Amino acid sequence: MSYEVKITGIETGSKMIERWKVIKGWPMYEVSSLGRVRSWKNARWGRSSTPKLLRPGKVDGYPIITLHANGKQTSRRISHLVAEAFIGARPNGLQVCHEDNNRANNNFRNLRYDTPKGNCADKVRHGTLLMGERQPRSKLTEKQVYEIRRLLAKGRTQISIARRFNVTPMAINDIRHRRNWKHLIEDEY
């Protein structure tokens, strides 16, 4: 069962069609093409005559909603509900990706299924991939990595460099072979 409602876009002022579809496995809940969720549940009489728009919570910046039925409950990302309802079942191994990198924008036109590699490529394109110094566990700075590469080029041993920068020789080996810090261009050192 699905419904259509015309609403005015908040940002553009243009008319948008908001379509509603029942959430698979949860017949008292519906998700809209614009990423909203509503419930037809009434605590006393079962199904309500008018739906109630639900306010999502957030986990890791993703809007989530908790669905309840027959003593069971589950929390789901709204982006996953919208994609399943308006794009189709998610193929194994694929992730739900946001085209504009805005986790709160769950309009079905902003969502797609892609591989983890494709999702990572989006993070690179949007500048949100945590790599290098931006990676919270990083022990080195970009300046230090350039210095390590310079010392390697001069013939210093990995062990002596590792001691100097308080990292393991394997970390220096990974820098040497471009397994880590490969995003840094070579001619900086």
Side-chain angles (χ1 to χ4, degrees), residues 16-74:
M16 296 182 284
I17 301 286
E18 182 172 34
R19 294 179 304 165
W20 292 89
K21 291 188 178 183
V22 173
I23 297 173
K24 185 178 177 183
W26 302 89
M28 297 295 257
Y29 293 92
E30 294 177 332
V31 65
S32 87
S33 56
L34 301 181
R36 301 192 306 163
V37 178
R38 65 185 183 187
S39 170
W40 288 89
K41 283 179 64 170
N42 180 309
R44 190 176 288 174
W45 298 288
R47 187 166 180 91
S48 174
S49 59
T50 57
K52 178 183 175 189
L53 200 57
L54 301 179
R55 181 176 295 160
K58 281 197 177 183
V59 173
D60 296 328
Y62 292 98
I64 63 158
I65 205 77
T66 302
L67 308 170
H68 303 265
N70 302 324
K72 297 186 316 181
Q73 73 176 33
T74 188

Side-chain angles (χ1 to χ4, degrees), residues 45-164:
W45 298 288
R47 187 166 180 91
S48 174
S49 59
T50 57
K52 178 183 175 189
L53 200 57
L54 301 179
R55 181 176 295 160
K58 281 197 177 183
V59 173
D60 296 328
Y62 292 98
I64 63 158
I65 205 77
T66 302
L67 308 170
H68 303 265
N70 302 324
K72 297 186 316 181
Q73 73 176 33
T74 188
S75 293
R76 302 275 313 273
R77 286 184 182 175
I78 292 177
S79 57
H80 292 197
L81 296 173
V82 172
E84 289 168 10
F86 294 95
I87 299 173
R90 180 171 38 158
N92 287 337
L94 297 188
Q95 299 176 342
V96 177
C97 302
H98 293 80
E99 293 286 347
D100 67 357
N101 191 42
N102 179 356
R103 294 175 176 180
N105 181 0
N106 291 308
N107 183 314
F108 83 102
R109 287 187 173 97
N110 186 51
L111 303 175
R112 73 175 196 288
Y113 292 130
D114 205 344
T115 62
K117 189 174 185 177
N119 200 8
C120 191
D122 282 352
K123 291 177 185 178
V124 170
R125 183 168 45 96
H126 297 297
T128 57
L129 181 64
L130 297 179
M131 59 183 178
E133 293 178 45
R134 293 176 53 204
Q135 216 290 347
R137 296 179 302 166
S138 175
K139 293 183 179 180
L140 299 169
T141 65
E142 290 182 3
K143 186 176 179 180
Q144 290 172 319
V145 171
Y146 286 127
E147 177 66 11
I148 289 167
R149 287 182 181 170
R150 190 181 63 72
L151 292 170
L152 287 167
K154 283 184 165 184
R156 297 278 170 82
T157 66
Q158 293 179 134
I159 292 173
S160 67
I161 297 170
R163 284 187 186 130
R164 179 174 170 184

Side-chain angles (χ1 to χ4, degrees), residues 167-182:
V167 296
T168 65
M170 190 60 174
I172 302 301
N173 191 48
D174 287 343
I175 291 169
R176 165 180 262 159
H177 295 288
R178 304 291 194 270
R179 286 188 288 268
N180 290 344
W181 297 89
K182 56 187 164 195

